């Protein structure tokens, strides 16, 4: 608006000035109204709620939150993190991690780095395209990127290891991932002017997840190690942490082994009295004992390279040769004599003092660089999973921040170039691409101006002429480097680019680049030599012939840094290698879903809880936070193609297109109008549930959703509503599935019960039939025995009642079964010898016959005694289970009890005196037997 007013001021100066003045006054009044209530500024957890969005209002809101010890704030699609420069209790605890991980909607919680981490993790779980995720945290040196990397690694090692499956493997990977971080910082971080733990290399950590989103491995990709720091440190800066940790933590035995005197000072280890960042802990790596010892010995050798300026002291050279396990004379020759190629012959030439120092520095740098690469390779081999074991990854990019020192050279140029590429990726992904996509999809959109750094990138890496191309061309020429000549060439080739400038009054050749963050002046002196990074072939050959196994393996291939053996046209410069690694990194970022976090350094002195407005406002303007907030507040941060939208949310309306998602030849899938209509049906269901009279028409420009030509644009609030509705529908369908499954299980259970019942009934019937057959057989045996016994009893009764002669005569013609010997003996008695009837003696049951004197016997015994008394009276002898029946009539010559008595008979009891005749087994009511029969037969 201000620009339009300024353009109209040429035609109508007075009117335009009045309009501009009134607009500025109203804007300032809005800002004053917003800033007047400072007590509520710290409650703005999202800067898109700030109205109006200006650098002043954003800065004031961040300052209020920082004063309230709130260090994270949403800025639309990004997260702003302010470094507190002191530990904050319980801000990154395990309980906080679990709270954000288990929350249904983490966005409803306070802004935190864990929200970004959880969003990326849930994208992998939900298979949201692109499924691989990248977390990019950018900012100046000291803004807190390394600490953010630690927190993210700990978070993913915690939430991605929550399953009990393969717990030992997960814990092993977790220990290695977390254990590798301090080791990498020890070897790659150093104390600089702006940060006490500044990363001097870039790293991209891939956390590898399997199909169940469990952590199964990790890998580290590094680029641009600042190995020149080994041999040179700027004033008030230090070398890599590992050297100081070795000097402080070495034991007496280790110092003796490494030949490090306790009171020895090293020129390459300045400011050794400062507090160490951490402890040297190679024990957390899976290094073998001899590998640890060799690694420390080589680091000690690098330290010894700094003992003498020219490495001419025989004592120090001897110790260095012993540590490297190379001959002393060969080491001295490589450092003081160089080989020149003259045709087919080699010419030896003594080196000057400066050349000797260059060779000494080169030896130290190449050993340290190879040790660092070996360390990274070893870490990757120890924790990287096989490609078949993981399917997705979450990448953490920890890259050095933007740098601007008093003296800047090739290292700062490469570092700032990397930050330019990341800024350009952010601009292309969030700002430029988002606005262009709105127009392509048919949204009514007014473009928001933002700072595009493409001109700066063209200056550094463009074609055909750029700073990098001219530097590489200068390095490939076989001539001495001239800084002034190169500066003149830069002015000639790149003067048309507005991003580069020169100070004509400066005595040192230099050039100034206007980066997205700030203007940086680079010294040209020494830039070409650093870009060449030459390694004399004599040094490579010397290290290849070392007796040390690790050092020999590092240089065994002969390709490490040995460009001097090749033709000049094939020299691979530092810039070329850095560009290649950075391009591979950018390809990975473009193929993943990025999540940006802007780390802000609140003060240049790294003092705790100190907020410098000038420092913060510069960083806000440099990284485009204000433009990001404007675009995020005015636009739709969520953009989903129709097909992907229906795949995830089509189940809300049970559309048939959801079933056809996997059918590539389906005609409906290529018809965007059909897909758009299905998407609108889904959105109408969700919006009607929110408000009964809310609907979505194809031409409706809803403030929460817009259906474009091929995509649907959503806000975070509507996306949350869709997720809630989707979860509700899934719960209902899951409930239906559970009901059907339980019904099926009940039916199967009933069928199994019925089958078991039939089997049991069959078995039981078979058992019963078998038992009944046994019963029938036993009953048959009993019946047979009973019938036989009954016949026998009948025969005995007849023998007892009838005349013996009749019994003997009828025995042969009787139909009864044949009697045994006992019966015959019992029946064979003599009856003719007794003429007169006599009194029967010893009647046990009180029966007396006609013979005086009459005898009356009363039977008083009962039970067993009665039976024994009767058997005694009947005189039945016992012979081993056999018995012989003898009755009174046989002893006294009574022929038959049926005989007619001559006298009177007195019967005192109504019981038969007979033994067998009264015991007939057949129960017949109409048959009279025994003594009653005798009475009836009496005339």
């Amino acid at each position: 608006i201000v620009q339009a007013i300024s353009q109209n001021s040429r035609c109508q100066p007075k009117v335009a000035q009045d309009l501009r003045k009134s607009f500025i006054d109203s804007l300032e009044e809005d800002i004053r109204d917003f800033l007047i209530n400072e007590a509520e500024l710290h409650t703005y957890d999202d800067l898109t709620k700030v109205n109006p969005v200006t650098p002043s209002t954003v800065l004031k809101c961040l300052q209020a939150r920082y004063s309230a010890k709130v260090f994270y704030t949403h800025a639309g699609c990004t997260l702003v993190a302010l470094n507190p420069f002191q530990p904050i209790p319980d801000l990154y605890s395990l309980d906080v991690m679990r709270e954000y991980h288990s929350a249904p909607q983490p966005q409803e919680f306070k802004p935190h780095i864990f929200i970004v981490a959880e969003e990326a993790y849930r994208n992998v779980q939900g298979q949201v395209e692109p499924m691989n995720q990248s977390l990019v945290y950018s900012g100046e040196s000291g803004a807190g990127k390394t600490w953010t990397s630690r927190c993210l690694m700990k978070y993913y090692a915690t939430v991605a290891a929550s399953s009990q499956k393969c717990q030992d493997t997960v814990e092993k990977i977790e220990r290695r991932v977390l254990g590798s971080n301090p080791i990498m910082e020890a070897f790659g971080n150093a104390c600089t002017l702006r940060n006490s733990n500044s990363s001097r290399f870039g790293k991209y950590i891939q956390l590898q997840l399997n199909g169940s989103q469990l952590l199964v491995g990790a890998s580290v990709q590094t680029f641009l190690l600042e190995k020149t720091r080994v041999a040179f440190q700027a004033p008030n800066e230090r070398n890599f942490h590992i050297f100081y940790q070795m000097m402080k933590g070495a034991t007496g035995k280790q110092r003796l082994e490494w030949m490090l005197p306790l009171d020895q000072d090293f020129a390459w280890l300045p400011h050794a009295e400062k507090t160490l960042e951490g402890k040297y802990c190679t024990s957390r790596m899976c290094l073998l004992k001899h590998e640890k010892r060799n690694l420390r010995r080589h680091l000690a050798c690098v330290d010894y390279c700094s003992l003498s300026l020219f490495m001419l002291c025989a004592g120090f050279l001897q110790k260095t040769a012993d540590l490297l396990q190379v001959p002393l004379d060969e080491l001295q020759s490589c450092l003081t004599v160089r080989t020149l190629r003259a045709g087919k012959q080699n010419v030896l030439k003594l080196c000057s003092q400066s050349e000797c120092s260059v060779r000494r520095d080169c030896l130290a740098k190449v050993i340290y660089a190879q040790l660092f690469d070996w360390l990274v390779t070893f870490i990757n081999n120890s924790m990287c999973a096989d490609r078949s074991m993981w399917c997705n990854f979450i990448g953490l990019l920890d890259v050095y921040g933007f740098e601007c020192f008093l003296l800047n050279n090739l290292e700062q140029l490469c570092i700032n170039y990397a930050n330019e590429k990341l800024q350009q990726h952010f601009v292309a992904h969030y700002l430029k691409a988002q606005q262009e996509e709105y127009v392509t999809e048919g949204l009514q959109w007014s473009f928001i101006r933002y700072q595009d750094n493409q001109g700066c990138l063209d200056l550094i890496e463009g074609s055909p002429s750029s700073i990098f191309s001219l530097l590489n061309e200068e390095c490939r020429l076989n001539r001495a480097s001239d800084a002034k000549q190169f500066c003149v060439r830069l002015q000639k080739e790149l003067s048309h680019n507005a991003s580069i400038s020169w100070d004509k009054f400066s005595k040192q050749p230099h050039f100034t680049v206007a980066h997205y963050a700030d203007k940086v002046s680079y010294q040209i002196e020494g830039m070409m030599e650093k870009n060449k990074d030459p390694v004399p072939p004599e040094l490579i050959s010397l290290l290849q012939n070392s007796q040390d196994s690790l050092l020999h393996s590092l240089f065994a291939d002969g390709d490490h840094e040995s460009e001097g053996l090749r033709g000049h046209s094939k020299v691979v410069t530092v810039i070329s290698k850095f560009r290649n690694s950075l391009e591979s990194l950018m390809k990975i970022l473009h193929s993943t879903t990025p999540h940006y976090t802007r780390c802000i350094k609140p003060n240049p002195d790294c003092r705790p809880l100190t907020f410098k407005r000038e420092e913060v406002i510069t960083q806000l303007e440099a990284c485009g936070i204000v433009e990001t907030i404007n675009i995020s507040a005015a636009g739709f941060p969520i953009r989903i193609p129709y097909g992907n939208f229906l795949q995830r949310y089509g189940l809300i309306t049970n559309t048939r297109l959801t079933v056809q998602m996997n059918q590539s030849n389906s005609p409906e899938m290529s018809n965007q109008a059909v897909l758009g209509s299905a998407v609108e049906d889904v959105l109408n269901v969700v919006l009607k549930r929110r408000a009964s009279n809310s609907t979505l028409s194809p031409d409706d420009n809803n403030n929460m959703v817009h259906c474009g030509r091929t995509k649907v644009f959503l806000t975070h609030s509507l996306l949350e509503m869709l997720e809630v509705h989707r979860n509700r529908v899934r719960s209902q369908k899951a409930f239906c599935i559970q009901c059907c499954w339980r019904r099926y299980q009940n039916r199967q259970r009933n069928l199994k019960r019925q089958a078991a019942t039939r089997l049991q009934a069959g078995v039981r019937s078979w058992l019963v039939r078998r038992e009944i057959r046994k019963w029938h057989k036993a009953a048959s045996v009993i019946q047979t025995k009973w019938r036989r016994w009954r016949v026998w009893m009948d025969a005995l009764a007849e023998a007892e009642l009838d005349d013996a002669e009749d019994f003997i005569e009828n025995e042969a013609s009787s139909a009864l079964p044949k009697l045994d010997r006992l019966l015959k003996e019992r029946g064979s008695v003599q009856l003719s010898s007794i003429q007169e009837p006599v009194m029967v003696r010893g009647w046990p049951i009180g029966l007396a016959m006609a013979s005086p004197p009459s005898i009356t016997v009363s039977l008083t015994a009962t039970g067993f005694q009665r039976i024994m008394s009767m058997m005694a009276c009947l005189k039945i002898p016992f012979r081993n289970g056999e018995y012989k029946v003898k009755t009174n009539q046989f002893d006294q010559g009574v022929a038959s009890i049926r005989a007619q008595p001559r006298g009177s008979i007195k019967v005192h009891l109504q019981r038969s005196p007979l033994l067998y005749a009264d015991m007939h087994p057949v129960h017949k009511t109409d048959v009279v037997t025994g003594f009653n029969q005798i009475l009836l037969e009496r005339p």
Side-chain angles (χ1 to χ4, degrees):
I1 298 175
V2 176
Q3 184 178 2
I5 295 175
S6 300
Q7 292 176 355
N8 293 332
S9 62
R10 299 178 182 176
C11 302
Q12 299 176 354
K14 185 176 181 181
V15 176
Q17 290 178 2
D18 295 340
L19 290 174
R20 182 175 182 180
K21 183 178 180 180
S22 61
F23 173 76
I24 294 176
D25 293 341
S26 62
L27 182 61
E28 291 179 352
E29 184 178 355
D30 293 339
I31 294 175
R32 285 194 301 270
D33 293 341
F34 174 77
L35 299 179
I36 202 169
N37 192 4
E38 297 185 4
E40 297 181 359
L41 290 181
H42 69 280
T43 62
Y44 287 83
D45 55 357
D46 196 335
L47 296 178
T48 56
K49 301 177 182 179
V50 175
N51 188 19
V53 179
T54 64
S56 299
T57 56
V58 172
L59 178 66
K60 193 67 177 178
C61 184
L62 290 177
Q63 185 177 9
R65 293 177 64 82
Y66 192 76
S67 300
K69 295 185 178 181
V70 181
F71 308 105
Y72 291 103
T73 307
H74 290 299
C77 54
T78 63
L79 181 71
V80 177
L82 294 170
N83 193 347
F85 292 111
Q86 70 175 17
I88 304 300
D90 301 329
L91 186 58
Y92 307 99
S93 63
L94 293 178
D95 294 336
V96 176
M97 294 181 187
R98 297 189 184 98
E99 182 181 3
Y100 279 92
H101 179 59
S102 60
Q105 297 294 334
Q107 291 79 9
E108 298 177 357
F109 284 62
K110 294 181 180 180
H112 202 287
I113 188 63
F114 293 158
I115 292 181
V116 181
E118 183 63 24
E119 180 182 359
Y121 188 70
R122 295 191 181 188
N123 285 350
V124 177
Q125 288 182 317
Q127 301 294 297
V128 178
E129 292 289 342
M131 290 178 287
N132 295 327
Q133 311 291 310
S134 291
L135 277 68
V136 183
Y137 28 95
S138 59
E140 292 192 3
S141 179
K145 300 184 299 299
T146 301
W147 177 258
T148 303
S149 175
R150 295 179 189 175
C151 296
L152 291 174
M153 292 175 65
K154 181 62 178 176
Y155 182 83
Y156 286 122
T158 302
V159 302
S162 58
S163 176
Q164 296 298 325
K165 299 179 181 179
C166 304
Q167 189 66 25
D168 295 338
T169 304
V170 172
E171 291 179 356
K172 180 180 177 182
I173 296 299
E174 176 186 356
R175 289 193 302 268
R176 291 185 177 181
V177 169
L178 298 180
S180 65
N181 195 53
I183 298 173
M184 296 290 290
E185 291 183 12
F187 279 84
N189 290 16
C191 178
T192 63
L193 294 176
R194 308 196 67 180
N195 187 10
S196 59
N197 187 33
S198 178
S199 299
R200 308 319 304 161
F201 73 106
K203 62 180 176 181
Y204 184 73
I205 305 172
Q206 282 188 348
L207 303 179
Q208 300 160 350
L209 306 176
N210 61 6
S212 301
Q213 289 76 50
L214 295 179
L215 186 65
V216 296
S219 65
V220 182
Q221 177 185 350
T222 61
F223 44 92
L224 193 64
L225 174 68
E226 193 184 17
K227 60 182 179 180
T228 56
R229 181 171 293 272
V230 174
F232 173 78
Q233 301 84 35
N236 297 325
E237 291 190 353
R238 298 205 312 174
N239 211 323
F240 292 104
H241 293 327
I242 185 63
F243 296 111
Y244 301 95
Q245 293 171 355
M246 286 183 60
M247 294 298 296
K248 295 290 185 181
T251 63
K253 182 180 179 180
Q254 290 173 336
R255 286 182 176 275
L256 183 63
E257 180 184 359
W258 304 336
M259 306 177 189
L260 295 177
L262 183 61
D263 55 349
Q264 184 68 56
D265 294 331
F266 296 94
W268 286 353
L269 301 181
H271 309 289
E273 68 281 356
K274 290 185 178 181
T275 304
L276 294 176
E277 174 65 21
K279 295 182 179 180
Y280 180 44
C281 49
T282 54
S283 60
R284 300 186 67 177
M285 290 176 55
C286 297
L287 290 173
L288 299 177
K289 186 176 181 180
H290 70 278
E291 291 174 336
K292 295 180 184 179
R293 184 171 61 253
N294 291 344
L295 179 63
R296 293 163 179 166
R297 183 192 299 118
H298 299 151
L299 293 172
C301 176
V302 175
D303 284 346
Y304 260 102
C305 291
S306 66
L307 290 178
S308 177
L309 180 61
F310 304 109
M311 294 289 294
L312 298 178
C313 179
F316 294 146
L317 276 177
Q318 183 62 51
K319 293 181 179 180
T320 304
D322 294 340
L323 290 172
L324 294 177
Q325 296 186 15
V326 296
L328 175 62
D329 54 347
E330 293 185 11
L331 175 61
Q332 186 174 4
S333 176
C334 290
L335 294 175
T336 58
V337 180
R338 63 173 179 159
T339 303
L340 300 178
R341 189 76 174 176
K344 296 182 180 181
Q345 296 181 353
N346 294 329
V347 179
L348 301 179
K349 182 181 179 181
L350 289 174
C351 298
S352 61
Q353 290 184 353
S354 60
E355 291 175 342
C356 288
S357 62
V358 170
R359 285 176 169 253
R360 175 207 61 194
D361 298 347
C362 182
L363 176 64
K365 291 188 294 183
V366 72
I367 292 176
Y368 191 83
Q370 292 304 314
L371 285 175
F372 184 80
D373 293 341
W374 174 85
L375 183 66
V376 173
T377 303
F378 188 90
I379 291 175
N380 287 333
N381 292 337
S382 65
M383 65 181 183
C384 185
D386 188 74
R387 187 61 183 87
S388 60
M389 296 178 59
W390 61 276
C391 52
N392 301 113
F393 68 85
I394 297 177
L396 310 178
L397 180 59
D398 182 11
V399 68
Y400 17 58
F402 185 84
E403 293 184 349
C404 180
F405 300 140
L406 294 177
L407 296 177
N408 304 283
N409 209 283
L410 183 65
E411 296 83 5
Q412 282 70 39
L413 179 61
C414 293
I415 289 173
N416 294 337
Y417 164 66
N419 283 271
E420 288 283 354
K421 292 288 288 186
L422 294 177
Q423 177 66 16
Q424 192 261 353
H425 177 265
F426 173 76
V427 169
H429 184 80
Y430 279 112
L431 305 181
K432 183 178 179 180
Q434 188 170 351
Q435 295 192 94
E436 291 178 352
E437 190 175 24
Y438 288 161
V439 177
T440 304
E441 292 292 329
L443 274 75
Q444 299 297 327
W445 181 260
S446 59
F447 278 86
I448 298 175
R449 296 179 60 87
Y450 56 88
Q451 182 181 1
D452 193 353
N453 63 335
Q454 187 60 46
C456 184
L457 286 175
D458 293 338
L459 171 67
I460 298 176
E461 64 171 2
S463 179
S465 295
S466 62
I467 296 176
F468 281 175
S469 63
L470 294 176
L471 270 173
N472 288 336
E473 184 179 349
E474 187 72 19
C475 293
R476 292 189 179 99
L477 297 177
N478 189 13
R479 65 183 182 185
S481 301
D482 189 347
K484 293 183 179 180
Q485 183 178 356
F486 183 72
C487 183
V488 172
R489 189 177 182 187
L490 286 177
Q491 294 179 8
K492 180 180 178 181
E493 297 288 342
L494 304 176
S495 58
H496 62 279
N497 197 306
S499 299
I500 189 172
S501 60
W502 295 267
D503 186 3
K504 298 181 180 179
F505 300 100
S506 177
K507 296 181 180 180
Q508 298 293 334
H510 73 284
F511 60 91
T512 302
V513 178
H515 291 283
Y516 75 97
D518 198 2
K519 292 184 177 181
V520 182
S521 179
Y522 299 97
Q523 302 295 325
I524 300 178
E525 190 67 37
M527 187 173 289
M528 279 75 74
E529 287 77 7
K530 290 183 178 182
N531 189 32
K532 293 178 183 179
D533 195 19
V535 180
E538 299 87 0
L539 293 179
I540 298 296
S541 178
L542 174 70
L543 297 174
Q544 287 176 348
N545 298 327
S546 173
Q547 299 300 318
D548 183 82
S549 59
L550 178 58
L551 195 62
H552 177 76
S553 64
L554 294 179
F555 296 91
D557 296 337
D559 296 331
H560 301 94
E561 308 285 347
S562 60
E563 291 83 4
L565 297 176
R566 307 174 183 174
H568 294 288
S569 60
K570 297 182 180 180
V571 172
V572 180
T573 61
V574 173
I575 289 176
S576 299
K577 290 188 292 184
F578 180 68
R579 284 192 63 183
N580 292 335
S581 62
L582 192 59
E583 287 298 329
S584 64
L585 174 64
M586 298 309 297
K587 288 181 180 179
I588 295 176
L589 293 181
H590 283 294
S591 64
T592 60
T593 301
H595 304 266
Y596 270 89
T597 300
R598 296 296 190 180
C599 298
I600 303 296
K601 188 177 183 180
N603 64 84
D605 302 324
C606 301
R607 291 199 300 265
L609 300 178
T610 303
F611 193 91
K612 296 292 184 181
R613 297 171 58 90
E614 297 81 7
E615 183 78 12
V616 176
I617 195 66
T618 303
Q619 298 176 61
L620 292 177
E621 292 176 348
C623 59
I625 289 293
V626 178
E627 293 86 352
T628 304
I629 297 171
N630 283 322
I631 294 177
S632 299
F636 301 93
I638 310 299
R639 304 176 298 278
I640 307 176
Y642 284 159
N644 296 340
F645 183 88
L646 290 177
Q647 279 184 338
R648 186 165 182 83
Y649 304 108
L651 56 87
I652 296 178
T653 56
N654 291 324
T655 175
R656 62 184 179 85
L657 293 177
T658 307
V659 184
Q660 302 174 355
M661 288 292 122
N662 296 326
Q663 301 177 2
S664 57
N665 297 327
S666 178
E668 288 84 356
M669 296 306 301
S670 60
N671 192 342
Q672 296 297 329
V674 176
L675 294 178
S677 177
V679 170
E680 290 176 4
D681 293 340
V682 174
L683 293 173
N684 284 331
V685 171
V686 178
L687 291 175
K688 284 181 180 179
R689 186 175 184 87
R690 175 175 175 266
S692 58
N693 57 351
S694 178
T695 58
L696 179 69
S697 62
D699 299 330
D700 185 16
N701 189 9
N702 198 295
N703 57 356
M704 297 179 64
V705 60
H706 182 87
C707 294
R709 295 186 176 92
T710 61
K711 296 181 181 181
V712 56
F713 296 83
L714 310 169
T715 59
H716 284 290
S717 58
L718 185 57
L719 181 66
E720 294 176 3
M721 294 170 55
L722 283 169
E723 289 292 333
V724 170
H725 200 97
R726 177 177 179 268
N727 293 334
R728 185 183 299 110
V729 173
R730 291 181 66 187
S731 299
Q732 294 174 355
K733 294 183 180 299
F735 180 74
C736 294
I737 294 174
Q738 290 175 355
C739 293
C740 295
W741 174 248
R742 289 168 181 166
R743 183 167 57 251
Y744 169 78
Q745 284 184 324
N746 289 332
R747 289 177 179 175
Q748 295 297 318
R749 193 180 298 111
N750 291 333
L751 291 176
K752 291 179 181 179
R753 185 183 295 109
Q754 293 175 4
T757 303
R758 293 191 185 99
L759 290 174
Q760 292 174 358
V763 171
R764 288 169 180 168
S765 64
W766 176 78
L767 292 175
V768 170
R769 285 194 300 269
R770 188 180 68 173
E771 194 69 21
I772 288 176
R773 282 195 297 268
K774 291 181 180 180
W775 293 351
H776 285 173
K777 185 176 180 181
S780 299
V781 173
I782 293 172
Q783 290 174 356
T784 302
K785 297 296 182 181
W786 168 256
R787 292 188 185 103
R788 185 178 300 171
W789 178 81
R790 187 182 63 181
V791 171
W792 187 21
M793 292 296 106
D794 290 341
L796 290 176
E798 291 294 333
E800 188 177 25
L801 294 174
D802 295 340
D803 190 357
E805 293 180 354
D806 296 338
F807 177 80
I808 295 173
E809 292 176 357
N810 296 331
E811 182 178 2
S813 60
S814 177
L816 295 176
K818 185 177 181 180
L819 300 178
D820 56 5
R821 187 189 308 172
L822 178 63
L823 186 59
K824 291 181 179 181
E825 291 179 356
R826 183 187 57 193
S828 59
V829 294
Q830 294 181 1
L831 302 176
S832 60
S833 57
I834 301 177
Q835 299 297 329
E836 296 293 332
V838 296
M839 183 180 64
V840 179
R841 294 170 295 152
W843 290 102
I845 53 176
L847 177 64
M849 289 193 164
S851 180
S854 61
I855 300 172
T856 302
V857 180
S858 298
L859 182 65
T860 59
T862 60
F864 181 74
Q865 295 179 356
R866 179 179 178 182
I867 295 173
M868 294 302 295
S869 175
M870 292 176 64
M871 293 176 67
C873 294
L874 293 175
K875 298 182 179 180
I876 299 176
F878 292 91
R879 298 177 182 177
N880 297 328
E882 298 180 358
Y883 60 92
K884 182 177 181 181
V885 179
K886 279 190 177 183
T887 59
N888 293 332
Q889 67 266 33
F890 287 106
D891 291 340
Q892 301 299 328
V894 179
S896 175
I897 200 170
R898 296 182 182 181
Q900 297 291 334
R902 295 181 181 180
S904 59
I905 298 176
K906 294 181 179 181
V907 179
H908 297 276
L909 294 176
Q910 295 295 325
R911 186 178 297 273
S912 174
L914 303 179
L915 178 63
Y916 298 104
D918 197 38
M919 296 176 61
H920 199 282
V922 180
H923 299 284
K924 297 181 179 179
T925 58
D926 58 346
V927 177
V928 180
T929 60
F931 189 67
N932 296 327
Q933 183 179 3
I934 296 174
L935 297 178
L936 292 176
E937 290 178 357
R938 182 179 179 182

